[in-house]
Each structure stands twice: as structure tokens, then as C-alpha cells.
Amino acid sequence: MNKEIVKLIYPQWQGGQNFNYVLGAKVMEAIVPNSEKMDEINVPVSLEKNGDKTSQIDDEAALIKQIQAAQVILEDRNPAKVITIGGDCSTSLASLDYLNGKYHGNLGVLWFDAHPDISSPEQSSHLHEMVISTLMNIGAKNVQNVLKHQFSNKQFLLSGLIEKDLRPMDSNVFKYDINFVTPQVLKEDIAPIIEWINQNNFEAVAVHLDLDVFSPQDFRSIYPAEPGLKIEDFPAAVGEMKIHQVFDILAKIEHEKPLVGMTVAEHLPWDAINLRNNFKKLELFN
């Protein structure tokens, strides 16, 4: 008998062109708790670094194949809830598309991220930077063609977004009128989130948790915390939230509406990555 929750292990790296996301997903798999309500299933991911640039999106063919593999799993299991262990941020595409269909378009998505992930193929070749736009059918066209349940702008609330550090490629936040709440506001009050849920009368809520929403002083396994990198030299926004703040918010949200999905994305456990790379220097491990 199928279980209520499917936990997808989805070590996709092509969306961010960063192979370190593979190990990051494997480590995160060990961190995220299991329960008797879950079926844990691996999404097959190509580990070949072929550098395919036949489209505007890097490695697009591999990415589409992996999205379709995740779709087959979800359609076969038909879970009420989905947990996705990524991998890059584009691992949310299959699960959120599925959940939006499951809840008949009445799904709100809390997008915890320092960045808005709403660029276009004209602004980026990395799928993980255009996940929201692709879910809204205004992003990566060939990827959109395999998705089935288009989102509207009102279904997203960018949470923890660093507004002052938005790049030109992030300007679609305003162009497409995407709601957002900064870390400073969330530190004081989560009322804007509750208001967004109630105004839209969502049946359920899903969460996209890009770990770079966290401050590198509070959580070290993210891009801006790479050893030897000065945070002030990081070329994009740096998260400001603390772990306990995000999970306290989510615990309160669960009292308002069912939490039916979560993607955990872009985990970069630098100590594990560096240790693994050094093991590879030895013939014993090759």
C-alpha cells in the first residue's frame, strides 16, 4: 500500500552546474528524519558532466529527463505530501507541479531563499535561477512543456529575500508582482505570511527551503560560507535568517494550514566536500 508521504532523494546538480550538490543531497538524506508514513525513493540523476549547451539552458535534456522521472514516481505513488531532498533548487519543479495539481491550484508556496529564482533564459542559463518563472510558464520553455499545473504569481511568497541586493536578473520580482517578505520583517512578525495565506484561502502550503536563506554565521553548509571566501566578496545576496527562526515560522504555519510539501535545496557541506576531494588524490580510492 502506498504511504501518505513520498520522500524523493534527488541529487540533481545540473540546474546549478555545481557537482557538489550531489554529495550535499546525500548528506542531507541522512539529516532529514524519516517516519513510518514515508516512502523514500531515489530519482535517477545522471552523473555525467557532458556540458550540454544545445539549448539556452545548460544540460537541459538531462534536466528534463530527471524531471520526468520524478513525475512518474509521484504519479505512480499518488502521495498526499512530498518531501524533496535536493540537489539544486530546480528539484522543486516536479514536486510543486504535482502538488499544485493535487490541491487543484489552491496551494500556497513559501519560498525561503535569499534570491528570487525568477529569471529568464535571456538572463541566465542555469535552471535553478528560474524555478518560479518556469512554474508560472514564463521561464524555461522546453521545461515548461513537461509541467502540467501552471502557478499564478499570488501562489508564491518569497520569504527571507534580501531586497537591497537584488541583481538585474532578479528584477522580475517586480515585473511579475511577486509578494515578498524580508528577514527584517520576519524577525518582528510573521503576520504577513498569515495574511497572505488567509487572503488567498489556500487549502494547503508547501515550502521551498533554499538553505542559503540562512546566515552563514548560523549555518555553514551554504555557498557564501565556502572556506577561504570572504562573505563581503560573495557576488550575490547573502542570507540573514537563523535556522530556529525559519522552523519556528513553519511550526506556526502548520497550525493555520496543512504543510504538504518541502524541498530542501542547495546543501553544500564544505568539510565533507573538501575531505572527499582529498581522498580522491590517493590511488587507493580510485
Side-chain angles (χ1 to χ4, degrees), residues 33-255:
N34 288 319
S35 81
E36 294 181 355
K37 297 178 181 179
M38 295 179 189
D39 274 329
E40 185 173 300
I41 306 173
N42 290 285
V43 178
V45 170
S46 172
L47 301 182
E48 293 184 15
K49 299 180 182 180
N50 55 25
D52 176 23
K53 291 186 177 293
T54 57
S55 173
Q56 287 179 291
I57 308 301
D58 293 333
D59 285 314
E60 183 179 77
L63 286 160
I64 289 174
K65 184 177 181 179
Q66 288 157 195
I67 290 168
Q68 291 175 318
Q71 289 175 319
V72 168
I73 293 167
L74 293 173
E75 289 167 4
D76 177 62
R77 298 297 179 121
N78 191 31
K81 302 176 182 180
V82 184
I83 297 168
T84 304
I85 308 300
D88 66 69
C89 280
S90 63
T91 55
S92 265
L93 286 166
S95 56
L96 289 180
D97 181 61
Y98 166 82
L99 288 169
N100 199 33
K102 185 77 174 177
Y103 293 94
H104 311 291
N106 202 12
L107 176 77
V109 180
L110 279 173
W111 198 273
F112 281 96
D113 201 330
H115 319 99
D117 293 349
I118 195 167
S119 67
S120 69
E122 290 71 37
Q123 297 165 314
S124 173
S125 63
H126 292 177
L127 186 61
H128 79 151
E129 292 178 324
M130 58 190 81
V131 186
I132 291 179
S133 47
T134 299
L135 287 166
M136 290 173 57
N137 210 34
I138 49 176
K141 292 181 181 179
N142 291 334
V143 178
Q144 288 162 189
N145 288 339
V146 303
L147 303 180
K148 303 174 182 179
H149 307 286
Q150 182 179 335
F151 280 79
S152 69
N153 61 342
K154 72 176 184 179
Q155 289 180 264
F156 296 98
L157 181 60
L158 301 172
S159 305
L161 183 73
I162 311 298
E163 182 184 7
K164 63 182 174 61
D165 290 331
L166 289 175
R167 303 158 292 180
M169 66 186 294
D170 302 325
S171 62
N172 288 339
V173 168
F174 305 107
K175 181 179 180 180
Y176 298 120
D177 193 24
I178 308 296
N179 292 318
F180 66 87
V181 188
T182 64
Q184 291 75 24
V185 171
L186 290 175
K187 188 176 181 180
E188 301 297 326
D189 194 0
I190 70 162
I193 297 179
I194 304 299
E195 183 179 346
W196 165 76
I197 291 172
N198 291 336
Q199 280 182 345
N200 292 286
N201 196 28
F202 293 125
E203 181 181 350
V205 173
V207 176
H208 174 94
L209 178 58
D210 183 336
L211 297 172
D212 74 16
V213 76
F214 297 137
S215 163
Q217 277 78 36
D218 196 57
F219 187 73
R220 304 295 300 168
S221 297
I222 51 176
Y223 221 139
E226 182 177 1
L229 177 70
K230 293 182 180 179
I231 292 175
E232 58 269 24
D233 293 335
F234 191 68
V238 176
E240 297 179 3
M241 299 195 72
K242 294 186 176 181
I243 296 173
H244 76 85
Q245 289 176 319
V246 170
F247 284 92
D248 285 350
I249 289 169
L250 295 180
K252 292 175 182 176
I253 297 304
E254 282 191 309
H255 289 294

Side-chain angles (χ1 to χ4, degrees), residues 16-30:
Q17 291 294 291
N18 188 336
F19 200 71
N20 287 327
Y21 290 137
V22 175
L23 181 58
K26 291 180 179 180
V27 175
M28 186 55 64
E29 177 185 355

